Amino acid sequence: LLYTREELLAMSPVDINTRAYNPPLHEVMKQLQATGHATFETEHRCKDGTVFPVEINTHIISWKEKKALLSVVRNITERKEAEEKIRVMNSKLALMNDVTYQDIQNKLTAIRGYIDLCSRISGEEERMKSAEKISVILGSIYALIQKTKEYQRMGIAKPLWVDIEPVVLFQFSSISDKPPIVLETDVHGLQI
């Protein structure tokens, strides 16, 4: 519920603001005195008590031989929501990077173990088995690195609808074929 013009004219900014200043009010006042203008964020309270974020751009002006404050208040709810989405996405990407890094570290440790094992094995057949396992691990590291490239592109490309079935089938095809696994999908037309 919005205030009427008359109600707003009868109020001071303190009546509608929550005193949650960014930067703190004393810094805003210091900047205002030093430069004659300041831009800051706070929250305003509607008539019904709901709170929304605002950006205030304030200037000291001369008016009728006196000094006055001219402030432009802008609702920044959409911007704050977008900033929060970006923060969450960055947090998820950072987590994904951490998990990928740890996974690669674990795989490299396994490779070192197999290389050490190869140096101790006398039989050629056993060495070949270890070399095969190293090759599989290197392939999975390569796949992880390729996925990190995809993660880096997240947020850059415009969102689009993706058919689920081809994605599931493609991901399934990258799973080792030993032992053979059969996949049946029934998600025709499902998109995300």
Side-chain angles (χ1 to χ4, degrees), residues 160-180:
L160 56 107
W161 287 101
V162 177
D163 290 321
I164 295 288
E165 190 167 25
V167 172
V168 169
L169 293 173
F170 176 76
Q171 291 300 320
F172 180 73
S173 70
S174 67
I175 297 173
S176 173
D177 58 355
K178 297 172 188 164

Side-chain angles (χ1 to χ4, degrees), residues 9 17 63 68 71 77 102 110 127 132 136 161 165 172 191:
L9 289 173
N17 128 0
W63 184 60
S71 298
T77 302
Q102 190 61 48
R127 258 188 239 189
E132 205 175 285
V136 168
W161 287 101
E165 190 167 25
F172 180 73
Q191 295 182 323

Side-chain angles (χ1 to χ4, degrees), residues 1 3 18 44-52:
L1 216 52
Y3 292 102
T18 65
H44 278 181
R45 189 173 287 107
C46 291
K47 205 173 184 176
D48 65 1
T50 58
V51 173
F52 62 97

Side-chain angles (χ1 to χ4, degrees), residues 43-152:
E43 297 171 329
H44 278 181
R45 189 173 287 107
C46 291
K47 205 173 184 176
D48 65 1
T50 58
V51 173
F52 62 97
V54 295
E55 178 185 76
I56 301 177
N57 192 339
T58 300
H59 294 268
I60 296 176
I61 59 168
S62 297
W63 184 60
K64 294 185 180 180
E65 299 178 18
K66 294 182 180 178
K67 299 275 186 197
L69 285 180
L70 174 66
S71 298
V72 176
V73 180
R74 184 170 63 104
N75 184 335
I76 57 171
T77 302
E78 287 181 15
R79 187 186 88 195
K80 288 294 187 181
E81 289 170 354
E83 288 172 354
E84 178 61 14
K85 286 178 183 175
I86 289 169
R87 188 195 65 72
V88 168
M89 179 61 83
N90 284 337
S91 176
K92 287 180 180 180
L93 288 174
L95 177 61
M96 202 69 113
N97 278 338
D98 290 345
V99 168
T100 302
Y101 172 78
Q102 190 61 48
D103 199 10
I104 290 173
Q105 287 285 79
N106 293 341
K107 290 177 187 314
L108 289 174
T109 300
I111 288 173
R112 285 189 194 111
Y114 281 118
I115 288 172
D116 184 50
L117 189 61
C118 281
S119 68
R120 296 175 192 200
I121 296 173
S122 58
E124 189 62 29
E125 188 178 322
E126 289 299 313
R127 258 188 239 189
M128 289 306 290
K129 284 182 182 177
S130 290
E132 205 175 285
K133 290 178 181 177
I134 290 171
S135 179
V136 168
I137 295 169
L138 286 172
S140 66
I141 290 174
Y142 179 79
L144 278 171
I145 291 170
Q146 293 302 351
K147 286 189 188 296
T148 59
K149 277 185 177 180
E150 292 173 23
Y151 300 148
Q152 287 176 337

